């Protein structure tokens, strides 16, 4: 009986993948341009034709309307050479056991208290805070603090208002606190007039003088928002968050961390990730992050991100959907699984986030077939020939662009999530608006992320005020993710990929 069920699931996944692949009817075109190295091997009998036929490759072409010049320069098309199997997965909520375990991995035996929204200061706390505020007011350069805290004069006025509002004689001697047992409670337990079917844990602790907020959320009201996060933050109100900013300025360093510091933080993160017990993960980024300090000057932290690994193959990283709610057909109402941590150079945890645990429902019996590298390049030319310059990158500027220059210099092979059913399947009401949402499961299919850089011009490449993505953001541009079986674009309507911005 189990064997029959497994066979049916395999057939179902194969048929599903074929039907999903058929959504874009254009077949990938073969391309005949500049292949500058020989193939690594023949593709006859190879399931993973894409990796087997990968080469260093150059090409150039224009968009259909001539407004975008595209250059492909792949010096090393190193692709995963193993076999892929299609997996059916379903996003799921965190369990209370997982929530408590993750809190203990991050913070050990620290005592956490249930969060109280906008709680009062005790007399002792308020005396300490008022002394802190008074000291700030005595600074002649108060209005010169970094603008993250407001425009000139706003911070001084806000502190004066807080001193007037919070009087020590009116504060209670102590506040009744409840120790958090990490059981999920309705959202309204923490915040009045909130959705009852959203379950949360909101907690606070102070560890070695560093205050932390901890939150777990399972939201199934029109979305599937399953997340756990932790960050430095007090549970009492501080004007414009200046108390946290002062603390973080002390934790971060003014000198860029060296490689030994970065490696030590990576080892610490690897240990934490392993202890979480939330499946296999692969660190895909470990680097310094720059932050403008409270006072002018750069401060440094170290950020680490990771993607889940299924069947030994990582999920491709992409930006989370810009919203999980909507009325459009094909909206994806859950975030991609991902994990991120940031640390001060001395190892103090700054932030933690974990999104969307999933259960694997089925694994295909057959290996997934893929395009050849030449077919993939044909699909790239098809996808990049469509948009005009102003449609490409409309999110960055308010005006139209007559010219864009695109460079494709990296491709990455891995899994991506493809919805089994893009048709809305449920209607919910949110803030007085009826929304239709897609609650389908997903299949993980082999896919290719296309990376590079682009420059935008109002008039011509000769102008000085061009927008350069890498120069302005400090990172590669993820243009799109293509299905490795047929070259079609995998892009939910609420996605954030560059090629799909103009839809």
């Amino acid at each position: 009986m189990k064997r029959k069920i497994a066979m049916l699931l395999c057939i179902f996944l194969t048929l599903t993948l074929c039907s999903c692949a058929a959504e874009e009817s254009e077949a990938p075109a073969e391309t005949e341009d500049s292949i500058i190295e020989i193939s690594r091997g023949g593709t006859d009998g190879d399931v993973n034709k894409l990796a087997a036929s990968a080469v260093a490759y150059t090409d150039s072409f224009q968009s259909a309307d001539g407004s975008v010049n595209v250059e492909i320069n792949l010096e090393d098309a190193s692709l995963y050479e193993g076999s892929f199997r299609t997996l059916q997965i379903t996003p799921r909520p965190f369990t209370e056991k997982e929530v408590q375990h993750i809190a203990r991995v991050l913070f050990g035996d620290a005592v956490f208290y249930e969060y109280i929204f906008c709680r009062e200061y005790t007399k002792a706390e308020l005396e300490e805070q008022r002394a802190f505020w008074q000291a700030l007011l005595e600074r002649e350069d108060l209005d010169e603090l970094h603008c993250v805290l407001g425009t000139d004069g706003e911070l001084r006025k806000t502190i004066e208002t807080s001193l007037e509002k919070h009087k020590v004689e009116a504060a209670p001697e102590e506040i009744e606190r409840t120790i958090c047992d990490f059981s999920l409670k309705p959202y309204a337990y923490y915040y009045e007039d909130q959705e009852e079917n959203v379950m949360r844990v909101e907690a606070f602790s102070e560890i070695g003088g560093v205050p932390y907020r901890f939150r777990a959320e399972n939201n199934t009201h029109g979305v599937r928002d399953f997340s756990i996060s932790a960050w430095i933050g007090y549970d009492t109100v501080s004007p414009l968050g200046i108390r946290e900013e002062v603390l973080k300025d002390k934790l971060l360093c003014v000198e860029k961390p060296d490689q030994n510091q970065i490696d030590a933080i990576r080892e610490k993160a690897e240990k934490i990730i392993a202890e979480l017990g939330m499946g296999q993960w692969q660190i895909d980024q470990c680097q310094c992050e720059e932050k403008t300090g409270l006072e002018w000057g750069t401060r440094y932290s170290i950020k680490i991100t990771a993607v889940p690994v299924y069947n030994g193959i990582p999920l491709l990283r992409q930006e989370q959907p810009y919203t999980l709610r909507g009325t459009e057909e094909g909206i994806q109402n859950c975030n991609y699984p991902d994990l991120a941590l940031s640390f001060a150079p001395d190892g103090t945890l700054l932030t933690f986030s974990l999104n969307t645990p999933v259960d694997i429902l089925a694994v295909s019996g057959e290996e997934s077939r893929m395009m050849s590298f030449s077919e993939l390049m044909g699909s790239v030319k098809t996808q990049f020939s469509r948009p005009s310059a102003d449609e490409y990158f409309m999110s960055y500027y308010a005006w139209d662009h007559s010219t864009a220059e695109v460079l494709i210099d990296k491709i990455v092979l891995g899994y991506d999530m493809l919805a089994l059913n893009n048709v809305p399947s449920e209607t919910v009401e949110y803030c007085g608006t009826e929304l239709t949402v897609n609650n389908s499961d997903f299949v993980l299919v082999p896919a290719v992320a296309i990376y590079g850089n682009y420059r935008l011009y109002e008039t011509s490449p000769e102008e000085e005020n061009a927008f350069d993505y890498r120069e302005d953001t400090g990172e590669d541009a993820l243009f799109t993710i293509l299905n490795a079986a047929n070259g079609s674009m995998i892009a939910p309507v609420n996605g954030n990929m560059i090629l799909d911005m103009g839809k």
Side-chain angles (χ1 to χ4, degrees):
M1 182 66 181
K2 288 183 178 178
R3 183 177 297 176
K4 288 182 179 179
I5 293 173
M7 291 177 63
L8 288 172
L9 285 171
C10 293
I11 295 170
F12 168 71
L13 285 171
T14 303
L15 293 174
T16 300
L17 180 58
C18 292
S19 65
C20 291
E23 289 179 5
E24 290 206 17
S25 57
E26 293 186 35
E30 293 278 351
T31 181
E32 301 176 354
D33 292 280
S34 306
I35 295 176
I36 60 173
E37 287 185 13
I38 62 171
S39 166
R40 290 202 300 250
T43 61
D44 291 342
D46 257 316
V47 171
N48 190 344
K49 295 189 344 184
L50 183 56
S53 61
V55 294
Y57 179 86
T58 61
D59 193 7
S60 60
F61 56 94
Q62 286 188 323
S63 61
D65 68 353
S67 67
V68 182
N69 297 311
V70 182
E71 177 186 351
I72 304 176
N73 186 7
L74 298 171
E75 295 182 0
D76 180 19
S78 54
L79 300 174
Y80 177 81
E81 296 188 38
S83 62
F84 284 71
R85 294 182 186 274
T86 302
L87 281 69
Q88 184 183 350
I89 63 170
T90 186
R92 66 163 178 84
F94 286 97
T95 66
E96 291 182 348
K97 184 177 180 181
E98 287 170 337
V99 171
Q100 183 167 17
H101 174 70
I102 290 169
R104 293 305 171 211
V105 169
L106 296 175
F107 302 108
D109 294 329
V111 176
F112 272 82
Y113 296 95
E114 294 284 5
Y115 175 71
I116 301 173
F117 179 61
C118 286
R119 80 165 177 88
E120 295 179 276
Y121 290 96
T122 64
K123 277 187 167 62
E125 289 172 336
L126 190 51
E127 286 172 349
E128 179 186 344
Q129 278 308 291
R130 287 180 66 86
F132 172 73
W133 296 338
Q134 290 283 8
L136 285 174
L137 287 178
E138 291 170 8
R139 292 183 54 158
E140 294 182 358
D141 62 345
L142 179 61
D143 290 337
E144 297 174 11
L145 294 182
H146 185 240
C147 61
V148 72
L149 297 174
T151 57
D152 289 350
E154 185 177 334
L155 179 56
R156 183 177 298 277
K157 181 179 178 181
T158 304
I159 292 174
E160 289 171 346
T161 301
S162 294
L163 283 167
E164 181 64 30
K165 178 181 178 181
H166 297 284
K167 301 293 186 181
V168 173
E169 55 270 19
E173 291 291 342
E174 45 184 55
I175 299 289
E176 184 179 349
R177 305 304 303 266
T178 302
I179 292 178
C180 178
D181 62 0
F182 297 100
S183 61
L184 290 153
K185 302 171 181 65
Y187 198 174
Y189 177 87
Y190 299 102
Y191 305 94
E192 293 181 2
D193 302 324
Q194 295 297 326
E195 300 174 36
E196 287 290 337
N197 54 351
V198 177
M199 303 299 289
R200 273 199 175 191
V201 170
E202 289 258 10
F204 170 81
S205 186
E206 194 162 326
I207 304 162
V210 180
Y212 286 101
R213 296 274 306 278
F214 177 86
R215 174 184 296 161
E217 176 171 295
N218 288 333
N219 185 350
T220 57
H221 186 57
V223 301
R224 289 176 291 179
D225 184 5
F226 312 129
S227 63
I228 293 179
S229 56
W231 66 98
I232 288 179
Y234 291 91
D235 66 340
T236 48
V237 177
S238 178
L240 299 173
I242 191 170
R243 198 174 169 202
E244 286 87 349
E245 292 298 325
V246 168
L247 175 59
K248 283 186 276 189
D249 257 21
K250 292 177 180 178
L251 290 171
L252 304 185
C253 61
V254 296
E255 294 183 1
K256 192 170 185 178
D258 59 31
Q259 193 58 49
N260 288 335
Q261 288 174 295
I262 295 173
D263 290 344
I265 294 297
R266 183 188 180 104
E267 288 180 15
K268 182 171 185 173
E270 287 173 344
K271 183 179 178 182
I272 289 173
I273 292 170
E275 291 177 354
L276 292 176
M278 296 300 293
Q280 266 190 299
W281 294 83
Q282 176 179 294
I283 291 177
D284 63 332
Q285 176 182 270
C286 178
Q287 64 185 32
C288 292
E289 276 202 324
E290 295 184 7
K291 171 186 180 294
T292 302
L294 184 64
E295 303 181 54
W296 293 114
T298 302
R299 304 288 188 274
Y300 293 95
S301 62
I302 298 170
K303 181 178 181 180
I304 292 169
T305 61
V307 290
V309 176
Y310 306 101
N311 247 18
I313 300 168
L315 187 71
L316 294 172
R317 173 165 295 285
Q318 54 192 294
E319 283 189 47
Q320 297 292 5
Y322 61 83
T323 179
L324 299 182
R325 302 183 188 273
T327 57
E328 305 94 333
E329 181 176 323
I331 193 166
Q332 179 172 308
N333 73 335
C334 75
N335 284 317
Y336 299 104
D338 79 346
L339 193 159
L341 308 96
S342 66
F343 296 87
D346 69 355
T348 301
L349 179 69
L350 300 174
T351 61
F352 169 86
S353 67
L354 176 62
N355 284 296
T356 317
V358 304
D359 284 334
I360 297 175
L361 302 181
V363 180
S364 64
E366 295 185 357
E367 296 175 354
S368 303
R369 295 273 169 180
M370 301 188 199
M371 299 181 294
S372 67
F373 183 79
S374 181
E375 289 171 328
L376 172 66
M377 291 300 102
S379 292
V380 168
K381 291 182 74 169
T382 298
Q383 299 293 352
F384 279 76
S385 294
R386 291 170 177 164
S388 62
D390 59 335
E391 290 172 332
Y392 250 71
F393 317 114
M394 58 194 300
S395 63
Y396 286 95
Y397 290 98
W399 61 81
D400 291 342
H401 296 80
S402 61
T403 305
E405 291 187 340
V406 170
L407 170 65
I408 299 169
D409 59 9
K410 184 173 75 171
I411 62 175
V412 179
L413 177 63
Y415 274 129
D416 196 29
M417 293 167 58
L418 187 63
L420 281 171
N421 174 21
N422 278 325
V423 179
S425 57
E426 182 185 358
T427 300
V428 298
E429 185 173 302
Y430 177 71
C431 296
T433 302
E434 279 199 350
L435 304 177
T436 50
V437 296
N438 170 26
N439 288 316
S440 76
D441 291 333
F442 293 84
V443 287
L444 295 180
V445 297
V448 180
I450 311 295
Y451 288 94
N453 187 36
Y454 66 83
R455 289 173 62 84
L456 293 177
Y457 311 97
E458 270 193 273
T459 53
S460 70
E462 286 73 36
E463 67 189 46
E464 295 183 359
N465 65 335
F467 173 80
D468 185 294
Y469 186 91
R470 273 186 180 147
E471 188 176 303
D472 286 28
T473 67
E475 59 186 27
D476 294 333
L478 172 57
F479 291 111
T480 190
I481 292 180
L482 302 181
N483 191 322
N486 64 358
S488 62
M489 190 183 300
I490 302 177
V493 298
N494 51 335
N496 270 309
M497 283 180 294
I498 293 167
L499 270 195
D500 213 34
M501 286 290 191
K503 64 185 174 201

